[in-house]
Amino acid sequence: NKISKTFLEEEKRIIFLINNYYHVVLLLSGFEEKSSLYPIYAKILKEAIENYILFKIKFNFSRLYETVISAYSSLDSSEPNEINISTNEIKEIAIDFKEKYFKILKDVDNYHQTIFCDHINGREITKQYFKKIVLFWAKFEIIAKNITHNNSFISSILDVMQLVNSIQKLTPY
């Protein structure tokens, strides 16, 4: 962890940790009797991956991220809290996401193929990232319906199934 703090960018720091924790977990899992350290490092790796995914969503889709995080006390919550956001802001976020999401997701997929030292781990992180994007978009869709009450607008935004279909076309895994 001390070495990772030498990286100036938060993203590179998290990637460094993921790559290193992944190898520690891989090494510890190779013993016939798993070390007592295995669950500790597996948990740390899982947390580092989750931090990276949230960091990346916030970086790529900051307004979507901020809106969903401010509306939900937890991403496990089914109903959003009331937030102070206008219909126009909701529309701007929806339009911005619809225009940019595919290119960004494609770029993230390509990027993950180069930054993670293990190809399988990189693919798994990409899958988790895509699942989290779908979750954020589903949560945003609920917020949009609650705020706008405009069925023609709601039907014009990217729906969750369109997003899932786009991701499936993008990734063969």
Side-chain angles (χ1 to χ4, degrees):
N1 202 359
K2 289 180 184 180
I3 295 173
S4 70
K5 289 182 181 178
T6 62
F7 287 106
L8 296 176
E9 295 178 40
E10 179 71 8
E11 180 179 17
K12 288 181 182 175
R13 187 184 76 75
I14 299 170
I15 291 166
F16 175 83
L17 290 174
I18 290 170
N19 284 330
N20 284 285
Y21 289 139
Y22 177 79
H23 285 292
V24 169
V25 168
L26 193 63
L27 176 71
L28 292 173
S29 69
F31 296 113
E32 284 198 29
E33 278 191 41
K34 287 190 178 164
S35 165
S36 61
L37 294 174
Y38 176 83
I40 295 167
Y41 279 97
K43 181 180 179 213
I44 292 170
L45 174 61
K46 182 179 177 184
E47 290 169 356
I49 291 170
E50 180 67 16
N51 287 339
Y52 170 77
I53 289 168
L54 291 174
F55 173 86
K56 201 72 175 156
I57 291 171
K58 185 176 182 180
F59 180 80
N60 288 318
F61 305 104
S62 60
R63 292 176 69 198
L64 171 66
Y65 176 90
E66 295 299 336
T67 301
V68 170
I69 292 298
S70 65
Y72 289 89
S73 53
S74 161
L75 289 177
D76 295 330
S77 303
S78 58
E79 289 297 317
N81 301 318
E82 279 196 34
I83 58 170
N84 185 18
I85 190 167
S86 71
T87 300
N88 285 340
E89 288 173 297
I90 291 288
K91 288 179 180 180
E92 287 172 9
I93 294 167
I95 290 167
D96 184 59
F97 185 82
K98 190 173 184 177
E99 289 174 353
K100 296 177 181 176
Y101 83 95
F102 191 78
K103 182 186 179 329
I104 291 172
L105 295 183
K106 187 175 181 179
D107 290 346
V108 166
D109 183 41
N110 291 333
Y111 181 60
H112 285 179
Q113 292 179 41
T114 61
I115 62 164
F116 295 107
C117 57
D118 182 85
H119 182 72
I120 295 168
N121 189 44
R123 288 283 185 213
E124 184 56 37
I125 292 169
T126 302
K127 282 189 219 176
Q128 290 178 36
Y129 174 81
F130 289 160
K131 286 178 185 176
K132 192 69 79 172
I133 286 289
V134 170
L135 175 65
F136 267 78
W137 191 249
K139 299 287 187 184
F140 178 80
E141 208 174 47
I142 293 168
I143 297 166
K145 287 176 184 175
N146 289 347
I147 301 284
T148 64
H149 305 290
N150 181 334
N151 288 336
S152 63
F153 168 71
I154 296 301
S155 64
S156 73
I157 67 172
L158 181 74
D159 75 15
V160 173
M161 284 313 300
Q162 288 173 312
L163 177 58
V164 169
N165 289 336
S166 294
I167 289 171
Q168 288 174 339
K169 288 176 189 172
L170 179 68
T171 57
Y173 43 89

